[in-house]
Amino acid sequence: MHSLFALAAFASLAMHASANCSYGTSLHRRDAHGPVHVASYSYSGTTGPINWAGLNPEYHDCALGHNQSPIDFNRSIAFATEKPLLNIPPTFGAEIENLGSTVEVFLSGTLTYVGKTYNLVQYHFHTPGEHRINNEHYPLEMHMVHQADDGSFVVVGILFQLSEKGKTTEFVRQTIINLSAIREPGTRSSTGYLNFGVLALALQTQPIYQYSGSLTTPPCKEGITFLILANPFPMDVTSYNSLKAVMKFNSRYTQNNLNQDNLLQISAEQLSAF
C-alpha cells in the first residue's frame, strides 16, 4: 500500500497534469502594453514546489534535476575568481509588475562576465531569501536575470539583512515606491529613480559565491550561473514588510548538494521501499 502510494506520488511529480503554458518569472522581455500574466504555480499546496513537476511536462527538472537551486553556501562552494561588470544606466519609471509569484522589474542594462556580455532581462524578489550562508537564511533576496546572445544565463543574487538602525538600500526603496498600486496580481506600475552604482561597486570589490545551478522557479532549468554576493545589503523594516505583504511567502526550499540526486526523487524512492 505504501509502495503504491509513493510510486503514484512520484509519478505525479515526473509527469504532467496539464499541457497549458504556465507563467512565472520571465526569461524574455514582455510586451509592456500586453496583459500581466499571473503565475500558474505557487509556493503552497498542490501548485507548490513539491508538485511543480506535476504542473507541466517542461518542469521535470524540478523533481529530477541534480543541480537545483537554491543551495546552502558552505566551504564546498568557491568564490568567483573574476569580477562581473554591471552596467545599468540610471533610470526613472521602469515597469514593475505583480505576477502573483513575485514582483518583477524590467529595465535595460548589461553584465560582462568572463569575457561575455549578458543583457538584463528583469529582476525580482523572494521572501524569505532562498540561498543560505552556512545554513543561515536571510529575510529577502533579489535576483537579476541576465541572458547572453547564445542563450546562456547569469543570475546575480543579493541577500538582504534587516537593519537595526533603519539603514536601507536605496535602489530597493525606489523600486517599490509605488508598490501600493500593484497589490493585486496581474497589475503593473512604475518605479522611482533607480541607480545601481552601489551594487556595481560591490560586485567589483566584495566576495561573490559562484556555482552552476537552476532557476529557482519553474521550469527549474539547469545550467544557470549564479553569482551571489557574500555580504548582505541592509533593508529597513518598513520596506521589507511592504514587500512581504504583497509577495507573501515565495521561497523555494533548499535543494540537495550539487551533483547529487534530487531530494524529491530520494524521498519517493525511500517511501517505495516500505
Side-chain angles (χ1 to χ4, degrees):
M1 182 71 167
H2 290 293
S3 177
L4 289 174
F5 171 79
L7 291 174
F10 187 67
S12 72
L13 293 168
M15 298 176 65
H16 69 277
S18 171
N20 294 332
C21 182
S22 297
Y23 295 96
T25 53
S26 304
L27 297 184
H28 305 286
R29 195 172 289 275
R30 288 203 186 102
D31 180 3
H33 302 291
V36 177
H37 295 292
V38 176
S40 59
Y41 65 87
S42 73
Y43 289 87
S44 61
T46 57
T47 57
I50 291 179
N51 194 43
W52 280 349
L55 302 178
N56 190 304
E58 297 179 358
Y59 299 171
H60 58 85
D61 276 347
C62 299
L64 299 174
H66 289 186
N67 287 285
Q68 289 290 291
S69 299
I71 62 171
D72 176 32
F73 294 120
N74 51 44
R75 293 180 179 178
S76 67
I77 307 300
F79 288 119
T81 57
E82 295 192 32
K83 298 295 187 180
L85 180 62
L86 182 70
N87 181 16
I88 301 176
T91 302
F92 181 83
E95 179 186 337
I96 182 171
E97 298 180 349
N98 183 342
L99 308 184
S101 59
T102 188
V103 294
E104 191 167 270
V105 178
F106 301 91
L107 76 165
S108 297
T110 61
L111 181 82
T112 302
Y113 184 62
V114 194
K116 185 187 294 187
T117 298
Y118 299 80
N119 295 306
L120 177 61
V121 179
Q122 47 88 356
Y123 67 90
H124 62 271
F125 298 90
H126 295 275
T127 179
E130 296 190 307
H131 288 91
R132 303 182 194 178
I133 298 179
N134 294 320
N135 211 32
E136 179 181 359
H137 82 279
Y138 292 84
L140 183 71
E141 184 169 347
M142 174 174 149
H143 288 164
M144 307 185 80
V145 181
H146 303 80
Q147 185 178 26
D149 290 341
D150 63 4
S152 58
F153 287 91
V154 169
V155 175
V156 172
I158 305 98
L159 297 166
F160 295 88
Q161 184 64 282
L162 294 180
S163 171
E164 297 179 359
K165 298 182 179 180
K167 187 177 181 180
T168 199
T169 299
E170 186 64 13
F171 63 75
V172 176
R173 193 184 72 83
Q174 289 291 327
T175 292
I176 62 173
I177 200 166
N178 294 319
L179 194 64
S180 61
I182 59 167
R183 297 189 66 86
E184 295 300 321
T187 55
R188 65 162 55 95
S189 186
S190 58
T191 69
Y193 177 74
L194 301 177
N195 187 328
F196 290 92
V198 64
L199 177 57
L201 179 61
L203 290 170
Q204 287 289 301
T205 59
Q206 297 184 16
I208 303 169
Y209 290 106
Q210 175 195 335
Y211 78 101
S212 179
S214 75
L215 298 175
T216 66
T217 60
C220 306
K221 171 184 169 66
E222 295 192 339
I224 308 296
T225 297
F226 273 92
L227 299 173
I228 308 290
L229 280 164
N231 299 323
F233 275 45
M235 171 61 56
D236 67 283
V237 174
T238 299
S239 295
Y240 168 69
N241 283 339
S242 296
L243 265 171
K244 181 167 64 71
V246 171
M247 297 193 303
K248 317 300 183 185
F249 181 97
N250 70 335
S251 179
R252 191 187 189 194
Y253 59 90
T254 305
Q255 300 296 297
N256 202 0
N257 294 332
L258 299 173
N259 299 309
Q260 295 190 12
D261 287 344
N262 193 291
L263 292 175
L264 293 177
Q265 187 176 10
I266 292 173
S267 178
E269 290 173 350
Q270 290 177 341
L271 284 172
S272 68
F274 290 115

